[in-house]
Amino acid sequence: MSLKEKIKVFIQKYRHIWVISYALLYMPWFMYLEKHVTSGYYVIHSPIDDKIPFIEYFVIPYLLWFVFIAAVFLYFFFTDVRGFYKLCKLMFTGMTIFLVISTFIPNGLNLRPVFFERDNVFVDLVRQIYRIDTPTNVFPSLHVFNSLAACIAIRYSENLKKHKVIKWSAYILAGLIVLSTVFLKQHSVIDVMAAVLMAYVLHSFVYETEKDRVLQWKKQKVARGEYY
Protein backbone atom coordinates (compact mmCIF):
# COMPACT_ATOMS: atom_id res chain seq x y z
CA MET A 1 0.00 0.00 0.00
CA SER A 2 1.41 3.38 -1.01
CA LEU A 3 1.81 6.27 1.41
CA LYS A 4 -1.05 8.11 -0.29
CA GLU A 5 -3.34 5.14 0.16
CA LYS A 6 -2.31 4.76 3.80
CA ILE A 7 -3.14 8.40 4.44
CA LYS A 8 -6.51 7.97 2.75
CA VAL A 9 -7.32 4.93 4.87
CA PHE A 10 -6.25 6.76 8.02
CA ILE A 11 -8.47 9.75 7.25
CA GLN A 12 -11.42 7.48 6.47
CA LYS A 13 -10.96 5.63 9.76
CA TYR A 14 -10.38 8.76 11.82
CA ARG A 15 -12.72 11.26 10.19
CA HIS A 16 -12.83 13.29 13.38
CA ILE A 17 -9.32 14.50 12.60
CA TRP A 18 -10.97 17.54 11.00
CA VAL A 19 -11.36 18.96 14.52
CA ILE A 20 -7.65 19.79 14.76
CA SER A 21 -8.16 22.35 12.00
CA TYR A 22 -9.01 24.64 14.93
CA ALA A 23 -5.25 25.19 15.12
CA LEU A 24 -5.55 27.20 11.89
CA LEU A 25 -7.62 29.72 13.84
CA TYR A 26 -5.89 29.54 17.20
CA MET A 27 -2.20 29.67 16.30
CA PRO A 28 -2.20 32.76 14.00
CA TRP A 29 -4.43 34.63 16.46
CA PHE A 30 -2.27 33.68 19.45
CA MET A 31 1.00 34.51 17.66
CA TYR A 32 -0.42 37.89 16.66
CA LEU A 33 -1.21 38.65 20.30
CA GLU A 34 2.22 37.49 21.46
CA LYS A 35 3.86 39.80 18.94
CA HIS A 36 1.72 42.88 19.43
CA VAL A 37 0.81 42.88 23.13
CA THR A 38 4.11 44.23 24.44
CA SER A 39 3.20 47.38 26.38
CA GLY A 40 0.26 49.24 27.83
CA TYR A 41 -1.41 46.05 28.98
CA TYR A 42 -3.38 45.52 32.17
CA VAL A 43 -1.06 44.13 34.86
CA ILE A 44 -2.65 41.26 36.76
CA HIS A 45 -1.57 41.05 40.37
CA SER A 46 -2.78 39.81 43.73
CA PRO A 47 -1.17 40.35 47.16
CA ILE A 48 -1.13 36.57 47.47
CA ASP A 49 1.30 36.41 44.55
CA ASP A 50 3.91 38.23 46.63
CA LYS A 51 3.70 35.58 49.36
CA ILE A 52 4.27 32.67 46.98
CA PRO A 53 7.98 31.81 46.71
CA PHE A 54 9.74 31.07 43.45
CA ILE A 55 10.54 27.33 43.35
CA GLU A 56 12.39 26.30 40.21
CA TYR A 57 11.79 22.56 40.71
CA PHE A 58 8.21 23.05 39.58
CA VAL A 59 9.57 23.48 36.07
CA ILE A 60 9.30 19.69 35.73
CA PRO A 61 5.49 19.44 36.07
CA TYR A 62 5.20 22.70 34.12
CA LEU A 63 6.94 21.11 31.13
CA LEU A 64 5.12 17.80 31.61
CA TRP A 65 1.95 19.73 30.76
CA PHE A 66 2.80 19.39 27.07
CA VAL A 67 3.16 15.61 27.39
CA PHE A 68 0.03 15.33 29.54
CA ILE A 69 -2.23 17.26 27.16
CA ALA A 70 -0.86 15.46 24.10
CA ALA A 71 -1.30 12.05 25.75
CA VAL A 72 -4.91 12.73 26.77
CA PHE A 73 -5.72 14.23 23.39
CA LEU A 74 -4.29 11.23 21.50
CA TYR A 75 -5.89 8.70 23.85
CA PHE A 76 -9.37 10.03 23.17
CA PHE A 77 -8.63 10.52 19.48
CA PHE A 78 -7.75 6.86 18.96
CA THR A 79 -10.08 5.18 21.47
CA ASP A 80 -13.17 7.31 22.14
CA VAL A 81 -14.56 9.50 19.37
CA ARG A 82 -17.47 10.74 21.44
CA GLY A 83 -15.17 11.61 24.32
CA PHE A 84 -12.75 13.23 21.88
CA TYR A 85 -15.44 15.56 20.55
CA LYS A 86 -16.44 16.55 24.08
CA LEU A 87 -12.83 17.17 25.11
CA CYS A 88 -12.22 19.35 22.05
CA LYS A 89 -15.48 21.22 22.55
CA LEU A 90 -14.48 22.03 26.12
CA MET A 91 -10.85 22.89 25.37
CA PHE A 92 -11.41 24.87 22.19
CA THR A 93 -14.28 26.89 23.65
CA GLY A 94 -12.09 27.90 26.59
CA MET A 95 -9.13 28.65 24.34
CA THR A 96 -11.31 30.87 22.15
CA ILE A 97 -12.60 32.74 25.20
CA PHE A 98 -8.96 33.23 26.23
CA LEU A 99 -8.14 34.72 22.81
CA VAL A 100 -11.11 37.09 22.94
CA ILE A 101 -10.20 38.29 26.43
CA SER A 102 -6.55 38.80 25.45
CA THR A 103 -7.61 40.73 22.36
CA PHE A 104 -9.99 43.16 24.03
CA ILE A 105 -8.32 43.29 27.46
CA PRO A 106 -4.56 42.97 26.85
CA ASN A 107 -3.02 41.64 30.02
CA GLY A 108 0.29 40.56 31.49
CA LEU A 109 2.39 40.02 34.60
CA ASN A 110 5.31 41.61 36.44
CA LEU A 111 6.02 38.65 38.69
CA ARG A 112 9.12 37.07 37.20
CA PRO A 113 12.28 37.35 39.33
CA VAL A 114 15.05 39.54 37.97
CA PHE A 115 17.74 37.62 39.82
CA PHE A 116 17.80 33.97 40.86
CA GLU A 117 19.03 32.96 44.31
CA ARG A 118 20.27 29.60 43.00
CA ASP A 119 21.99 28.43 39.87
CA ASN A 120 21.13 24.93 38.70
CA VAL A 121 19.69 23.03 35.76
CA PHE A 122 16.13 23.77 36.85
CA VAL A 123 16.79 27.50 36.91
CA ASP A 124 18.36 27.19 33.47
CA LEU A 125 15.15 25.58 32.20
CA VAL A 126 13.10 28.40 33.70
CA ARG A 127 15.34 30.96 31.99
CA GLN A 128 14.67 29.21 28.67
CA ILE A 129 10.93 29.32 29.28
CA TYR A 130 11.10 33.02 30.14
CA ARG A 131 13.00 33.69 26.91
CA ILE A 132 10.50 31.80 24.77
CA ASP A 133 7.25 32.70 26.52
CA THR A 134 6.33 36.36 27.03
CA PRO A 135 4.71 37.43 30.33
CA THR A 136 1.63 38.64 28.44
CA ASN A 137 -1.71 37.08 27.46
CA VAL A 138 -2.01 35.16 30.71
CA PHE A 139 -5.66 35.49 31.74
CA PRO A 140 -7.09 32.94 32.25
CA SER A 141 -4.23 30.45 32.49
CA LEU A 142 -4.44 27.91 29.66
CA HIS A 143 -1.94 25.70 31.48
CA VAL A 144 -4.51 25.41 34.25
CA PHE A 145 -7.63 25.35 32.09
CA ASN A 146 -6.44 22.66 29.68
CA SER A 147 -5.15 20.52 32.56
CA LEU A 148 -8.58 20.69 34.18
CA ALA A 149 -10.28 19.99 30.85
CA ALA A 150 -8.15 16.86 30.45
CA CYS A 151 -9.07 15.72 33.97
CA ILE A 152 -12.76 16.34 33.30
CA ALA A 153 -12.60 14.23 30.14
CA ILE A 154 -10.85 11.46 32.09
CA ARG A 155 -13.42 11.61 34.88
CA TYR A 156 -16.34 11.18 32.48
CA SER A 157 -14.66 8.49 30.39
CA GLU A 158 -16.47 5.14 30.59
CA ASN A 159 -13.33 3.35 29.41
CA LEU A 160 -11.22 4.73 32.24
CA LYS A 161 -13.63 4.13 35.11
CA LYS A 162 -11.88 0.89 36.09
CA HIS A 163 -8.38 2.34 35.79
CA LYS A 164 -8.18 4.24 39.07
CA VAL A 165 -4.37 4.41 39.04
CA ILE A 166 -4.40 6.18 35.68
CA LYS A 167 -7.16 8.54 36.77
CA TRP A 168 -5.55 9.53 40.06
CA SER A 169 -2.12 9.84 38.47
CA ALA A 170 -3.62 12.28 35.99
CA TYR A 171 -5.33 14.25 38.76
CA ILE A 172 -2.12 14.48 40.80
CA LEU A 173 -0.08 15.58 37.78
CA ALA A 174 -2.71 18.19 36.91
CA GLY A 175 -2.56 19.48 40.48
CA LEU A 176 1.22 19.82 40.29
CA ILE A 177 0.90 21.60 36.95
CA VAL A 178 -1.55 24.09 38.46
CA LEU A 179 0.87 24.75 41.34
CA SER A 180 3.78 25.10 38.94
CA THR A 181 2.18 28.08 37.21
CA VAL A 182 2.33 30.18 40.37
CA PHE A 183 5.59 28.83 41.84
CA LEU A 184 7.39 29.60 38.57
CA LYS A 185 5.79 33.06 38.50
CA GLN A 186 4.22 32.31 35.14
CA HIS A 187 0.74 33.17 36.40
CA SER A 188 -1.03 35.06 39.12
CA VAL A 189 -3.47 33.27 41.42
CA ILE A 190 -6.07 35.42 39.65
CA ASP A 191 -5.26 33.68 36.36
CA VAL A 192 -5.57 30.32 38.09
CA MET A 193 -8.91 31.09 39.72
CA ALA A 194 -10.29 32.42 36.43
CA ALA A 195 -9.23 29.21 34.67
CA VAL A 196 -10.86 27.06 37.37
CA LEU A 197 -14.09 29.05 37.11
CA MET A 198 -14.09 28.83 33.32
CA ALA A 199 -13.50 25.07 33.41
CA TYR A 200 -16.34 24.61 35.89
CA VAL A 201 -18.84 26.69 33.91
CA LEU A 202 -17.98 25.21 30.51
CA HIS A 203 -17.91 21.64 31.81
CA SER A 204 -21.49 22.15 33.00
CA PHE A 205 -22.56 22.87 29.43
CA VAL A 206 -20.44 20.23 27.69
CA TYR A 207 -20.79 17.31 30.10
CA GLU A 208 -23.47 17.86 32.75
CA THR A 209 -26.13 19.21 30.37
CA GLU A 210 -25.74 16.17 28.12
CA LYS A 211 -25.73 13.88 31.14
CA ASP A 212 -29.08 15.34 32.21
CA ARG A 213 -30.47 14.81 28.70
CA VAL A 214 -29.40 11.15 28.73
CA LEU A 215 -30.98 10.57 32.15
CA GLN A 216 -34.21 12.20 30.98
CA TRP A 217 -34.19 10.05 27.85
CA LYS A 218 -33.73 6.89 29.95
CA LYS A 219 -36.62 7.88 32.24
CA GLN A 220 -38.86 8.36 29.23
CA LYS A 221 -37.85 4.96 27.88
CA VAL A 222 -38.61 3.32 31.25
CA ALA A 223 -41.97 5.08 31.43
CA ARG A 224 -42.88 3.64 28.02
CA GLY A 225 -41.60 0.20 29.01
CA GLU A 226 -38.91 0.31 26.33
CA TYR A 227 -35.83 0.47 28.58
CA TYR A 228 -34.77 -1.96 31.27
Side-chain angles (χ1 to χ4, degrees):
M1 184 182 294
S2 66
L3 178 60
K4 184 177 180 180
E5 291 174 331
K6 288 180 180 179
I7 294 175
K8 183 178 180 180
V9 171
F10 180 88
I11 293 176
Q12 289 176 341
K13 184 178 181 180
Y14 300 104
R15 291 187 178 89
H16 49 291
I17 196 173
W18 70 269
V19 175
I20 64 174
S21 62
Y22 173 76
L24 299 177
L25 167 68
Y26 179 81
M27 289 308 299
W29 193 345
F30 177 74
M31 295 307 296
Y32 173 84
L33 292 172
E34 284 287 278
K35 184 177 180 180
H36 290 84
V37 179
T38 57
S39 62
Y41 50 78
Y42 178 77
V43 178
I44 297 175
H45 180 265
S46 166
I48 299 176
D49 297 327
D50 300 328
K51 299 182 183 298
I52 299 174
F54 170 81
I55 303 178
E56 69 270 22
Y57 306 111
F58 274 95
V59 72
I60 301 303
Y62 187 86
L63 292 175
L64 283 176
W65 176 82
F66 297 96
V67 178
F68 177 52
I69 298 302
V72 173
F73 192 85
L74 291 174
Y75 171 80
F76 281 94
F77 178 83
F78 286 109
T79 67
D80 184 355
V81 176
R82 187 178 180 85
F84 175 76
Y85 276 124
K86 289 181 183 178
L87 172 63
C88 290
K89 184 177 181 180
L90 177 59
M91 274 192 179
F92 297 168
T93 300
M95 291 163 69
T96 302
I97 291 173
F98 158 79
L99 290 173
V100 172
I101 292 174
S102 297
T103 300
F104 292 99
I105 311 176
N107 55 83
L109 301 171
N110 286 330
L111 295 176
R112 293 178 175 181
V114 178
F115 302 102
F116 296 95
E117 296 180 1
R118 296 171 293 276
D119 189 13
N120 53 50
V121 65
F122 302 103
V123 170
D124 290 339
L125 286 172
V126 174
R127 287 194 181 102
Q128 289 296 327
I129 291 172
Y130 284 0
R131 275 193 283 268
I132 296 171
D133 187 20
T134 68
T136 57
N137 309 311
V138 295
F139 180 89
S141 167
L142 286 189
H143 245 70
V144 173
F145 173 76
N146 283 344
S147 295
L148 295 177
C151 287
I152 290 168
I154 291 171
R155 175 177 178 268
Y156 283 90
S157 171
E158 291 292 332
N159 297 334
L160 293 175
K161 279 187 175 180
K162 297 179 180 179
H163 301 283
K164 292 185 178 180
V165 173
I166 294 176
K167 291 178 67 172
W168 281 103
S169 296
Y171 299 158
I172 292 171
L173 176 57
L176 291 173
I177 290 170
V178 172
L179 291 175
S180 74
T181 63
V182 293
F183 282 115
L184 293 184
K185 302 299 180 179
Q186 281 290 83
H187 284 285
S188 164
V189 292
I190 295 174
D191 305 328
V192 173
M193 290 188 294
V196 172
L197 177 61
M198 185 166 72
Y200 175 77
V201 172
L202 293 181
H203 121 275
S204 299
F205 287 101
V206 177
Y207 288 88
E208 289 298 330
T209 302
E210 181 172 334
K211 182 180 177 181
D212 292 339
R213 285 202 300 266
V214 172
L215 288 175
Q216 187 62 34
W217 174 78
K218 287 183 177 180
K219 288 179 181 178
Q220 292 174 355
K221 296 281 281 186
V222 170
R224 293 196 300 264
E226 299 174 3
Y227 185 84
Y228 298 92

